[in-house]
Amino acid sequence: SKPAAQPRARPRSCGAKESGCLQSERVKGASYMPAWAYPPALKPRDAAKALNRALRACGATGVDTATVAGGALRLTARFSTGFLGMTTDTAEFLLDPSTTAVAFRATSPGDEGRARGRMTRLRTRLKWREIPA
């Protein structure tokens, strides 16, 4: 089984002006949450499918999947929240095919707690583990 190394493929960092943004990369001034690892028995495409199902089960209104440089799989999810669903939260995941690492960033404008809670629910639902930093 491949060890879950720190992810090589990473989403862009949270900007200084992005309130309610957290990410799986330690960057000064950004809110941090450990990266995940999917089970080594899963192929990257199957891990992406499981993540897609979990995102939809957790209320995603849309999920896009794409292959990016290095063969990593990127899933981008949108959630309608706030008053009358007028706020859009986003979550972006990069699954690295050379490891089982999952890097991510999640935004809930003005409400980091909502993003953090959603990410915790997702990971718990998937039964994927956190990669110690």
Side-chain angles (χ1 to χ4, degrees):
S1 77
K2 294 174 286 198
Q6 284 297 322
R8 289 186 308 194
R10 297 187 180 103
R12 68 185 173 84
S13 291
C14 293
K17 304 257 189 303
E18 278 182 287
S19 72
C21 185
L22 60 94
Q23 62 190 26
S24 61
E25 185 181 0
R26 284 190 192 277
V27 175
K28 188 174 180 341
S31 293
Y32 169 76
M33 197 169 184
W36 304 345
Y38 59 85
L42 279 183
K43 291 186 176 72
R45 287 232 165 263
D46 295 331
K49 283 180 186 152
L51 178 55
N52 189 327
R53 284 193 301 270
L55 284 161
R56 291 183 186 282
C58 287
T61 52
V63 182
D64 299 316
T65 306
T67 305
V68 295
L73 293 167
R74 174 189 286 136
L75 276 77
T76 310
R78 292 169 303 288
F79 300 85
S80 295
T81 55
F83 182 66
L84 300 178
M86 290 171 64
T87 303
T88 300
D89 290 357
T90 60
E92 181 185 348
F93 302 84
L94 279 161
L95 285 68
D96 188 335
S98 62
T99 67
T100 57
V102 182
F104 58 81
R105 78 191 297 268
T107 61
S108 291
D111 191 350
E112 184 197 310
R114 187 169 64 222
R116 194 171 285 278
R118 181 180 292 126
M119 298 304 274
T120 301
R121 283 194 305 281
L122 269 169
R123 191 180 63 77
T124 303
R125 184 178 194 96
L126 287 160
K127 297 182 172 68
W128 291 359
R129 65 185 184 83
E130 287 186 326
I131 300 173

